[in-house]
Amino acid sequence: MQLRLAPELAELRRVVGATSLYPALALLVLLVLPLRWRAGGLLLGVAGLGLVLADRSGLLAPAPALLVLVSVAACGWIWLAGSAGGRWAAWATTLVLLAVTATRVVFAAGPASRRPEASLLALHQRGLVAPGDVLLAHDPWLVLAFAAAQRDEGLRPDVEVIDATSRDPAWLAERRIGWSREGRRVLSDSFSLAGRLRAGSPLDSGPLFWFTGSSALEPLFTDLRRFSPTPGWRLRPDEAARWERLHVERARHRRALGRHEEAMLALPFADEDFAVLTRQLQLAELSRLPATEGSELGPGAWSQALAPASAMAEAGDLLLALGGGADGAARLAEAADRGVAEALAALVRWQLRAGEEEAASATLRVLAAAPVLRPQVLGVCRWLLLHGRPQEAATLLGAVGPAAQFAPEELALRLATLRELAPP
């Protein structure tokens, strides 16, 4: 059973039942009106107000009027018993009316088959199957949730959870040698340790990635969509973002291995969206050879945009990587409209790589006009310098205005651009 707030009253009427109206009317007529008429006008006024509100809802036997009549009859019975005055009963009826109209609770049609908010941590536990596992977590929520479960519930005290974002890479490399010597498995929620590890070494071990130290094993991909909430679930924005990151990370891992169709299937879309995306993917694979195996969107900070914006951006980047320019650009542009700022920077890099200078210039003007997009502008400049295009990087830096919060990064990038432009 699932309870939720909703403006519709049809479900509540269905649960209460229209037949409950008759006992309420009988109590009202037989107990309140003939025997004690004092304050009866106020009681009838409250009941009439409930009928008016219900009539505006368009229901024949509305739930607010039904509950008002029941409360009037109940208060009338208390009044007859002498435990309360008539006016106090009327005011109690008014409070019941306000409570009913302010908070309406309905019952969901059908059973709730999953508990996605409670199952996300349990899903991560499915990957920790060996004694003494080590979990290198990059999501701060995973660190806090697992530590709380260990402290409050005694969950898997043998598992060592480490916040990998706050650890030095050299320390992690040294500790991995020690864990390997002790025979302990090392797993993480990031397949590349946030860009610090080459793509071929981890294995897809359910919801986590297992770093075996060898890339000779054939990867076996896990379908997590049967464990995750369906696209119709209404989750909190932070919870929906964590589920989306779980799927996008798997898509990037499969892309790095050159498994493009499996990468698209890892993204959390509805079946009808999968049909369109799979068709576009197959057309892109038939038209051109793949341009690159990596994603232009990562590694980096995860976007705070609401789901499925990040998944849409990843799907567009995958289509562009395989040559589906128009479809991929449309997906990235839609993701940018939904709040994924990195989507515009990725679109610029793909346009520059394809030689679409006019389209890239138009997208760069959008990036340069918004100060909040300065990290993406600097990322595009670094990409231009890396690909031996310092003059274009200098032109882009000259077109942006000052942004004090990013002054150190911008100054370092300007010096690197000047160094590339200077004669030998």
Side-chain angles (χ1 to χ4, degrees):
M1 184 179 298
Q2 179 189 13
L3 298 179
R4 57 186 172 88
L5 297 178
E8 299 84 2
L9 301 177
E11 289 292 328
L12 183 58
R13 171 180 172 250
R14 180 184 62 82
V15 173
V16 173
T19 56
S20 300
L21 181 64
Y22 300 109
L25 286 174
L27 286 173
L28 178 65
V29 174
L30 297 178
L31 299 179
V32 178
L33 296 182
L35 301 179
R36 289 290 186 93
W37 181 247
R38 186 178 58 184
L42 183 56
L43 292 173
L44 288 179
V46 173
L49 178 60
L51 289 172
V52 170
L53 293 176
D55 183 64
R56 294 182 62 183
S57 301
L59 300 175
L60 181 61
L66 173 62
L67 293 185
V68 165
L69 291 174
V70 173
S71 62
V72 167
C75 291
W77 177 262
I78 297 173
W79 177 27
L80 287 175
S83 60
R87 295 188 182 276
W88 286 105
W91 285 116
T93 304
T94 306
L95 293 177
V96 171
L97 172 64
L98 294 176
V100 170
T101 55
T103 304
R104 297 186 284 260
V105 181
V106 300
F107 294 90
S113 58
R114 304 181 199 168
R115 298 283 301 274
E117 295 187 24
S119 64
L120 183 57
L121 182 59
L123 181 61
H124 282 93
Q125 296 172 23
R126 287 175 176 265
L128 303 170
V129 295
D133 282 343
V134 179
L135 175 58
L136 301 179
H138 286 78
D139 189 348
W141 169 86
L142 182 57
V143 178
L144 296 176
F146 210 97
Q150 285 181 321
R151 181 187 65 249
D152 301 333
E153 305 171 12
L155 173 69
R156 292 296 302 275
D158 59 302
V159 174
E160 184 177 354
V161 183
I162 297 175
D163 185 2
T165 58
S166 61
R167 297 291 186 174
D168 183 71
W171 182 88
L172 287 176
E174 182 180 354
R175 290 295 297 142
R176 283 184 61 193
I177 297 175
W179 292 323
S180 177
R181 190 182 305 114
E182 297 170 3
R184 304 176 67 180
R185 299 194 316 159
V186 180
L187 302 103
S188 177
D189 55 344
S190 173
F191 80 95
S192 61
L193 293 182
R196 291 179 286 183
L197 189 72
R198 65 188 184 90
S201 57
L203 287 179
D204 187 344
S205 179
L208 298 172
F209 295 98
W210 177 18
F211 300 98
T212 62
S214 174
S215 58
L217 299 177
E218 178 68 19
L220 297 176
F221 302 128
T222 307
D223 183 14
L224 294 182
R225 287 189 298 157
R226 60 192 182 94
F227 299 105
S228 62
T230 59
W233 275 100
R234 295 182 179 180
L235 301 176
R236 297 194 315 269
D238 56 340
E239 187 72 19
R242 283 192 284 269
W243 279 107
E244 188 178 36
R245 293 170 191 172
L246 186 75
H247 291 281
V248 172
E249 189 71 22
R250 262 130 205 88
R252 293 182 179 177
H253 175 233
R254 299 174 189 187
R255 287 185 62 181
L257 297 176
R259 309 291 284 270
H260 306 117
E261 189 169 353
E262 289 87 347
M264 188 67 77
L265 292 175
L267 295 174
F269 288 111
D271 292 338
E272 55 272 15
D273 295 327
F274 267 123
V276 176
L277 289 170
T278 303
R279 184 168 60 252
Q280 293 174 350
L281 179 70
Q282 291 172 350
L283 290 175
E285 285 186 316
L286 291 174
S287 61
R288 296 180 184 90
L289 292 176
T292 180
E293 304 297 350
S295 172
E296 287 289 342
L297 296 166
W302 286 101
S303 173
Q304 300 301 318
L306 298 178
S310 296
M312 189 174 298
E314 192 68 26
D317 189 82
L318 177 55
L319 290 173
L320 280 167
L322 296 176
D327 296 327
R331 298 281 177 176
L332 281 179
E334 186 176 355
D337 292 338
R338 290 171 175 257
V340 183
E342 187 58 31
L344 284 178
L347 180 58
V348 169
R349 291 191 286 269
W350 284 117
Q351 290 169 341
L352 291 173
R353 184 182 282 116
E356 300 175 357
E357 301 295 336
E358 294 184 3
S361 299
T363 311
L364 283 174
R365 284 194 294 269
V366 177
L367 281 173
V372 296
L373 299 178
R374 188 57 52 84
Q376 285 70 41
V377 175
L378 299 180
V380 172
C381 290
R382 284 191 290 269
W383 185 88
L384 290 171
L385 289 179
L386 184 64
H387 288 78
R389 305 168 78 166
Q391 188 60 52
E392 297 179 35
T395 303
L396 178 57
L397 287 173
V400 298
Q405 62 271 34
F406 303 107
E409 296 88 346
E410 187 173 339
L411 178 59
L413 192 56
R414 288 179 184 272
L415 290 174
T417 305
L418 288 174
R419 184 174 66 239
E420 294 294 330
L421 290 174

